[in-house]
Short mmCIF file of all heavy atoms in Angstrom, two decimals:
data_model
loop_
_atom_site.label_atom_id
_atom_site.label_comp_id
_atom_site.label_asym_id
_atom_site.label_seq_id
_atom_site.Cartn_x
_atom_site.Cartn_y
_atom_site.Cartn_z
N GLY A 35 -1.88 -10.64 -10.58
CA GLY A 35 -2.87 -11.72 -10.62
C GLY A 35 -2.37 -12.97 -9.92
O GLY A 35 -3.09 -13.60 -9.14
N LEU A 38 -2.27 -12.25 -6.13
CA LEU A 38 -3.63 -12.26 -5.58
C LEU A 38 -4.20 -13.67 -5.53
O LEU A 38 -4.90 -14.03 -4.57
CB LEU A 38 -4.55 -11.35 -6.41
CG LEU A 38 -4.33 -9.85 -6.24
CD1 LEU A 38 -5.16 -9.09 -7.27
CD2 LEU A 38 -4.68 -9.40 -4.83
N ALA A 39 -3.91 -14.47 -6.54
CA ALA A 39 -4.40 -15.86 -6.56
C ALA A 39 -3.87 -16.64 -5.35
O ALA A 39 -4.61 -17.40 -4.72
CB ALA A 39 -4.00 -16.54 -7.86
N GLU A 40 -2.60 -16.43 -5.01
CA GLU A 40 -2.03 -17.09 -3.84
C GLU A 40 -2.71 -16.63 -2.55
O GLU A 40 -3.04 -17.44 -1.69
CB GLU A 40 -0.52 -16.85 -3.77
CG GLU A 40 0.27 -17.62 -4.79
CD GLU A 40 0.04 -19.13 -4.70
OE1 GLU A 40 0.10 -19.69 -3.59
OE2 GLU A 40 -0.23 -19.73 -5.75
N LYS A 41 -2.91 -15.32 -2.43
CA LYS A 41 -3.60 -14.78 -1.25
C LYS A 41 -5.03 -15.31 -1.16
O LYS A 41 -5.53 -15.60 -0.07
CB LYS A 41 -3.65 -13.25 -1.30
CG LYS A 41 -2.39 -12.58 -0.85
CD LYS A 41 -2.32 -12.58 0.65
CE LYS A 41 -1.30 -11.58 1.12
NZ LYS A 41 -1.11 -11.64 2.56
N GLY A 42 -5.68 -15.41 -2.31
CA GLY A 42 -7.07 -15.87 -2.35
C GLY A 42 -7.24 -17.30 -1.88
O GLY A 42 -8.27 -17.65 -1.30
N LYS A 43 -6.24 -18.13 -2.12
CA LYS A 43 -6.28 -19.52 -1.67
C LYS A 43 -6.14 -19.62 -0.15
O LYS A 43 -6.67 -20.54 0.46
CB LYS A 43 -5.16 -20.33 -2.34
CG LYS A 43 -5.36 -20.55 -3.81
CD LYS A 43 -4.16 -21.26 -4.40
CE LYS A 43 -4.25 -21.31 -5.91
NZ LYS A 43 -3.04 -21.84 -6.52
N GLU A 44 -5.42 -18.66 0.44
CA GLU A 44 -5.20 -18.64 1.89
C GLU A 44 -6.44 -18.15 2.63
O GLU A 44 -6.66 -18.50 3.79
CB GLU A 44 -4.04 -17.70 2.23
CG GLU A 44 -2.72 -18.09 1.66
CD GLU A 44 -1.67 -17.00 1.80
OE1 GLU A 44 -1.90 -16.01 2.53
OE2 GLU A 44 -0.60 -17.13 1.17
N GLY A 45 -7.21 -17.32 1.97
CA GLY A 45 -8.37 -16.72 2.62
C GLY A 45 -7.96 -15.45 3.35
O GLY A 45 -6.91 -15.39 3.98
N VAL A 46 -8.78 -14.43 3.21
CA VAL A 46 -8.52 -13.14 3.84
C VAL A 46 -9.80 -12.69 4.53
O VAL A 46 -10.86 -12.65 3.91
CB VAL A 46 -8.10 -12.09 2.78
CG1 VAL A 46 -7.87 -10.75 3.42
CG2 VAL A 46 -6.85 -12.55 2.03
N GLY A 48 -11.70 -14.24 6.30
CA GLY A 48 -12.73 -15.27 6.17
C GLY A 48 -13.22 -15.48 4.75
O GLY A 48 -14.15 -16.24 4.52
N PHE A 49 -12.61 -14.81 3.76
CA PHE A 49 -13.03 -14.93 2.38
C PHE A 49 -11.96 -15.58 1.53
O PHE A 49 -10.79 -15.18 1.57
CB PHE A 49 -13.34 -13.55 1.77
CG PHE A 49 -14.52 -12.87 2.38
CD1 PHE A 49 -14.35 -11.90 3.35
CD2 PHE A 49 -15.80 -13.21 2.00
CE1 PHE A 49 -15.44 -11.27 3.92
CE2 PHE A 49 -16.90 -12.58 2.56
CZ PHE A 49 -16.73 -11.61 3.53
N LEU A 50 -12.36 -16.58 0.75
CA LEU A 50 -11.50 -17.16 -0.26
C LEU A 50 -11.90 -16.53 -1.59
O LEU A 50 -13.07 -16.18 -1.78
CB LEU A 50 -11.69 -18.67 -0.34
CG LEU A 50 -11.35 -19.47 0.92
CD1 LEU A 50 -11.80 -20.91 0.77
CD2 LEU A 50 -9.85 -19.41 1.19
N PHE A 51 -10.96 -16.36 -2.49
CA PHE A 51 -11.32 -15.84 -3.80
C PHE A 51 -10.44 -16.43 -4.88
O PHE A 51 -9.36 -16.95 -4.62
CB PHE A 51 -11.31 -14.30 -3.83
CG PHE A 51 -10.02 -13.66 -3.44
CD1 PHE A 51 -9.02 -13.43 -4.38
CD2 PHE A 51 -9.80 -13.26 -2.14
CE1 PHE A 51 -7.84 -12.83 -4.02
CE2 PHE A 51 -8.62 -12.64 -1.77
CZ PHE A 51 -7.63 -12.42 -2.72
N ASP A 52 -10.96 -16.37 -6.10
CA ASP A 52 -10.30 -16.92 -7.26
C ASP A 52 -10.00 -15.78 -8.23
O ASP A 52 -10.78 -14.84 -8.34
CB ASP A 52 -11.24 -17.94 -7.92
CG ASP A 52 -10.61 -18.61 -9.12
OD1 ASP A 52 -9.49 -19.10 -8.99
OD2 ASP A 52 -11.25 -18.62 -10.19
N VAL A 53 -8.88 -15.87 -8.94
CA VAL A 53 -8.47 -14.82 -9.87
C VAL A 53 -8.38 -15.40 -11.27
O VAL A 53 -7.75 -16.43 -11.48
CB VAL A 53 -7.08 -14.25 -9.46
CG1 VAL A 53 -6.64 -13.18 -10.44
CG2 VAL A 53 -7.11 -13.73 -8.04
N GLN A 54 -9.04 -14.74 -12.21
CA GLN A 54 -8.99 -15.14 -13.61
C GLN A 54 -8.58 -13.95 -14.46
O GLN A 54 -9.23 -12.90 -14.40
CB GLN A 54 -10.36 -15.64 -14.09
CG GLN A 54 -10.85 -16.88 -13.41
CD GLN A 54 -9.96 -18.08 -13.69
OE1 GLN A 54 -9.49 -18.26 -14.80
NE2 GLN A 54 -9.70 -18.87 -12.67
N PRO A 55 -7.51 -14.07 -15.25
CA PRO A 55 -7.17 -12.98 -16.17
C PRO A 55 -8.17 -12.95 -17.32
O PRO A 55 -8.65 -14.00 -17.76
CB PRO A 55 -5.76 -13.34 -16.66
CG PRO A 55 -5.58 -14.77 -16.35
CD PRO A 55 -6.54 -15.15 -15.27
N ILE A 56 -8.50 -11.75 -17.78
CA ILE A 56 -9.38 -11.58 -18.93
C ILE A 56 -8.52 -10.98 -20.04
O ILE A 56 -8.06 -9.85 -19.92
CB ILE A 56 -10.57 -10.66 -18.61
CG1 ILE A 56 -11.42 -11.26 -17.49
CG2 ILE A 56 -11.41 -10.42 -19.86
CD1 ILE A 56 -12.54 -10.37 -17.03
N VAL A 62 -7.09 -7.14 -17.57
CA VAL A 62 -8.08 -7.09 -16.50
C VAL A 62 -8.03 -8.40 -15.74
O VAL A 62 -7.87 -9.47 -16.33
CB VAL A 62 -9.51 -6.86 -17.06
CG1 VAL A 62 -10.55 -6.91 -15.96
CG2 VAL A 62 -9.59 -5.54 -17.81
N LEU A 63 -8.19 -8.30 -14.43
CA LEU A 63 -8.31 -9.48 -13.57
C LEU A 63 -9.74 -9.54 -13.06
O LEU A 63 -10.28 -8.54 -12.62
CB LEU A 63 -7.35 -9.40 -12.39
CG LEU A 63 -5.87 -9.27 -12.71
CD1 LEU A 63 -5.07 -9.03 -11.43
CD2 LEU A 63 -5.37 -10.52 -13.43
N GLN A 64 -10.32 -10.72 -13.13
CA GLN A 64 -11.65 -10.93 -12.55
C GLN A 64 -11.47 -11.70 -11.24
O GLN A 64 -10.91 -12.79 -11.23
CB GLN A 64 -12.54 -11.72 -13.49
CG GLN A 64 -13.91 -11.99 -12.90
CD GLN A 64 -14.83 -12.73 -13.85
OE1 GLN A 64 -14.90 -12.39 -15.01
NE2 GLN A 64 -15.51 -13.75 -13.36
N ILE A 65 -11.93 -11.10 -10.16
CA ILE A 65 -11.81 -11.70 -8.84
C ILE A 65 -13.20 -12.18 -8.41
O ILE A 65 -14.13 -11.38 -8.30
CB ILE A 65 -11.30 -10.68 -7.78
CG1 ILE A 65 -10.10 -9.89 -8.29
CG2 ILE A 65 -11.05 -11.37 -6.45
CD1 ILE A 65 -8.85 -10.68 -8.53
N SER A 66 -13.33 -13.48 -8.19
CA SER A 66 -14.59 -14.05 -7.72
C SER A 66 -14.43 -14.44 -6.26
O SER A 66 -13.64 -15.33 -5.93
CB SER A 66 -14.96 -15.28 -8.56
OG SER A 66 -15.13 -14.90 -9.91
N VAL A 67 -15.16 -13.76 -5.40
CA VAL A 67 -15.12 -14.04 -3.97
C VAL A 67 -16.07 -15.20 -3.69
O VAL A 67 -17.20 -15.22 -4.18
CB VAL A 67 -15.52 -12.78 -3.15
CG1 VAL A 67 -15.52 -13.08 -1.66
CG2 VAL A 67 -14.56 -11.63 -3.46
N GLU A 68 -15.60 -16.15 -2.90
CA GLU A 68 -16.39 -17.34 -2.58
C GLU A 68 -17.76 -16.94 -2.03
O GLU A 68 -17.87 -16.04 -1.20
CB GLU A 68 -15.65 -18.19 -1.55
CG GLU A 68 -16.34 -19.51 -1.25
CD GLU A 68 -15.52 -20.34 -0.28
OE1 GLU A 68 -15.16 -19.83 0.79
OE2 GLU A 68 -15.26 -21.51 -0.61
N ASN A 69 -18.80 -17.58 -2.54
CA ASN A 69 -20.21 -17.34 -2.19
C ASN A 69 -20.73 -16.00 -2.70
O ASN A 69 -21.82 -15.59 -2.35
CB ASN A 69 -20.45 -17.45 -0.68
CG ASN A 69 -20.17 -18.84 -0.16
OD1 ASN A 69 -20.51 -19.84 -0.82
ND2 ASN A 69 -19.53 -18.93 0.98
N ARG A 70 -19.94 -15.33 -3.52
CA ARG A 70 -20.35 -14.06 -4.14
C ARG A 70 -19.94 -14.05 -5.61
O ARG A 70 -19.70 -13.00 -6.19
CB ARG A 70 -19.70 -12.88 -3.42
CG ARG A 70 -20.09 -12.77 -1.96
CD ARG A 70 -19.37 -11.64 -1.29
NE ARG A 70 -19.78 -11.56 0.11
CZ ARG A 70 -19.32 -10.65 0.95
NH1 ARG A 70 -18.45 -9.75 0.54
NH2 ARG A 70 -19.72 -10.64 2.19
N GLU A 71 -19.85 -15.21 -6.22
CA GLU A 71 -19.35 -15.34 -7.58
C GLU A 71 -20.15 -14.53 -8.59
O GLU A 71 -19.62 -14.11 -9.62
CB GLU A 71 -19.31 -16.81 -8.01
CG GLU A 71 -18.26 -17.64 -7.33
CD GLU A 71 -18.69 -18.21 -5.97
OE1 GLU A 71 -19.85 -17.98 -5.55
OE2 GLU A 71 -17.87 -18.87 -5.33
N GLU A 72 -21.44 -14.30 -8.30
CA GLU A 72 -22.28 -13.55 -9.24
C GLU A 72 -21.96 -12.06 -9.24
O GLU A 72 -22.45 -11.32 -10.08
CB GLU A 72 -23.77 -13.77 -8.95
CG GLU A 72 -24.28 -13.13 -7.67
CD GLU A 72 -23.95 -13.90 -6.39
OE1 GLU A 72 -23.33 -14.97 -6.46
OE2 GLU A 72 -24.33 -13.41 -5.32
N LEU A 73 -21.11 -11.62 -8.32
CA LEU A 73 -20.72 -10.21 -8.22
C LEU A 73 -19.19 -10.09 -8.19
O LEU A 73 -18.59 -9.68 -7.20
CB LEU A 73 -21.32 -9.58 -6.95
CG LEU A 73 -22.83 -9.56 -6.88
CD1 LEU A 73 -23.30 -9.19 -5.48
CD2 LEU A 73 -23.39 -8.60 -7.91
N PRO A 74 -18.54 -10.43 -9.30
CA PRO A 74 -17.07 -10.38 -9.30
C PRO A 74 -16.54 -8.95 -9.25
O PRO A 74 -17.23 -7.98 -9.57
CB PRO A 74 -16.70 -11.05 -10.63
CG PRO A 74 -17.88 -10.84 -11.50
CD PRO A 74 -19.08 -10.85 -10.59
N ILE A 75 -15.30 -8.85 -8.84
CA ILE A 75 -14.56 -7.59 -8.81
C ILE A 75 -13.62 -7.62 -10.02
O ILE A 75 -12.96 -8.64 -10.27
CB ILE A 75 -13.71 -7.46 -7.52
CG1 ILE A 75 -14.55 -7.70 -6.26
CG2 ILE A 75 -12.96 -6.14 -7.50
CD1 ILE A 75 -15.60 -6.68 -5.98
N PHE A 76 -13.55 -6.53 -10.74
CA PHE A 76 -12.65 -6.42 -11.89
C PHE A 76 -11.56 -5.42 -11.55
O PHE A 76 -11.84 -4.33 -11.05
CB PHE A 76 -13.42 -5.98 -13.14
CG PHE A 76 -14.46 -6.99 -13.55
CD1 PHE A 76 -15.76 -6.88 -13.11
CD2 PHE A 76 -14.12 -8.05 -14.37
CE1 PHE A 76 -16.72 -7.81 -13.46
CE2 PHE A 76 -15.07 -9.00 -14.74
CZ PHE A 76 -16.37 -8.87 -14.29
N ILE A 77 -10.31 -5.81 -11.82
CA ILE A 77 -9.16 -4.97 -11.50
C ILE A 77 -8.40 -4.67 -12.79
O ILE A 77 -8.11 -5.58 -13.58
CB ILE A 77 -8.22 -5.66 -10.50
CG1 ILE A 77 -8.96 -5.88 -9.17
CG2 ILE A 77 -6.95 -4.86 -10.30
CD1 ILE A 77 -8.13 -6.60 -8.13
N CYS A 86 -10.47 -0.89 -9.05
CA CYS A 86 -11.23 -2.09 -8.68
C CYS A 86 -12.71 -1.74 -8.83
O CYS A 86 -13.17 -0.73 -8.30
CB CYS A 86 -10.94 -2.49 -7.23
SG CYS A 86 -9.19 -2.75 -6.89
N MET A 87 -13.46 -2.57 -9.55
CA MET A 87 -14.84 -2.22 -9.87
C MET A 87 -15.73 -3.45 -9.85
O MET A 87 -15.30 -4.55 -10.18
CB MET A 87 -14.86 -1.60 -11.27
CG MET A 87 -16.19 -1.18 -11.75
SD MET A 87 -16.09 -0.30 -13.34
CE MET A 87 -15.06 -1.36 -14.31
N SER A 88 -16.98 -3.23 -9.45
CA SER A 88 -17.98 -4.28 -9.48
C SER A 88 -19.25 -3.70 -10.12
O SER A 88 -19.67 -2.59 -9.80
CB SER A 88 -18.28 -4.78 -8.07
OG SER A 88 -19.21 -5.84 -8.11
N VAL A 143 -5.74 -6.43 -1.43
CA VAL A 143 -6.65 -7.48 -0.95
C VAL A 143 -7.73 -6.88 -0.05
O VAL A 143 -8.90 -7.22 -0.16
CB VAL A 143 -5.86 -8.60 -0.22
CG1 VAL A 143 -6.79 -9.55 0.50
CG2 VAL A 143 -4.98 -9.35 -1.21
N ILE A 146 -10.32 -5.36 -2.22
CA ILE A 146 -11.17 -6.38 -2.84
C ILE A 146 -12.26 -6.83 -1.87
O ILE A 146 -13.45 -6.87 -2.21
CB ILE A 146 -10.33 -7.59 -3.31
CG1 ILE A 146 -9.45 -7.19 -4.49
CG2 ILE A 146 -11.22 -8.79 -3.65
CD1 ILE A 146 -8.37 -8.19 -4.82
N VAL A 147 -11.87 -7.14 -0.65
CA VAL A 147 -12.84 -7.61 0.36
C VAL A 147 -13.84 -6.50 0.70
O VAL A 147 -15.05 -6.73 0.76
CB VAL A 147 -12.11 -8.13 1.62
CG1 VAL A 147 -13.09 -8.41 2.74
CG2 VAL A 147 -11.30 -9.38 1.28
N LEU A 149 -14.67 -3.88 -1.18
CA LEU A 149 -15.52 -3.61 -2.34
C LEU A 149 -16.58 -4.70 -2.49
O LEU A 149 -17.73 -4.42 -2.83
CB LEU A 149 -14.68 -3.48 -3.61
CG LEU A 149 -15.42 -3.06 -4.86
CD1 LEU A 149 -16.11 -1.71 -4.69
CD2 LEU A 149 -14.47 -3.01 -6.04
N SER A 150 -16.22 -5.93 -2.22
CA SER A 150 -17.19 -7.02 -2.28
C SER A 150 -18.31 -6.79 -1.26
O SER A 150 -19.50 -6.93 -1.58
CB SER A 150 -16.49 -8.36 -2.03
OG SER A 150 -17.41 -9.42 -2.12
N ASP A 151 -17.94 -6.43 -0.03
CA ASP A 151 -18.94 -6.12 0.99
C ASP A 151 -19.80 -4.93 0.57
O ASP A 151 -21.03 -4.95 0.70
CB ASP A 151 -18.26 -5.78 2.33
CG ASP A 151 -17.68 -6.99 3.03
OD1 ASP A 151 -18.06 -8.13 2.70
OD2 ASP A 151 -16.82 -6.78 3.91
N THR A 153 -20.45 -3.85 -2.41
CA THR A 153 -21.31 -4.20 -3.53
C THR A 153 -22.61 -4.82 -3.02
O THR A 153 -23.71 -4.43 -3.45
CB THR A 153 -20.60 -5.18 -4.49
OG1 THR A 153 -19.42 -4.56 -4.99
CG2 THR A 153 -21.49 -5.59 -5.64
N LEU A 154 -22.50 -5.74 -2.07
CA LEU A 154 -23.70 -6.35 -1.48
C LEU A 154 -24.55 -5.30 -0.77
O LEU A 154 -25.79 -5.28 -0.92
CB LEU A 154 -23.32 -7.46 -0.51
CG LEU A 154 -22.70 -8.71 -1.11
CD1 LEU A 154 -22.30 -9.68 -0.01
CD2 LEU A 154 -23.64 -9.37 -2.09
#
Side-chain angles (χ1 to χ4, degrees):
L38 287 171
E40 287 304 312
K41 279 282 196 185
K43 290 176 188 173
E44 298 169 11
V46 178
F49 294 99
L50 298 171
F51 57 87
D52 182 50
V53 179
Q54 296 296 320
I56 299 175
V62 176
L63 301 173
Q64 178 178 315
I65 313 295
S66 299
V67 178
E68 185 177 53
N69 297 320
R70 299 177 179 180
E71 289 85 2
E72 70 281 359
L73 298 168
I75 308 294
F76 296 93
I77 297 178
C86 304
M87 180 174 49
S88 183
V143 169
I146 290 167
V147 171
L149 186 59
S150 182
D151 287 342
T153 300
L154 291 177

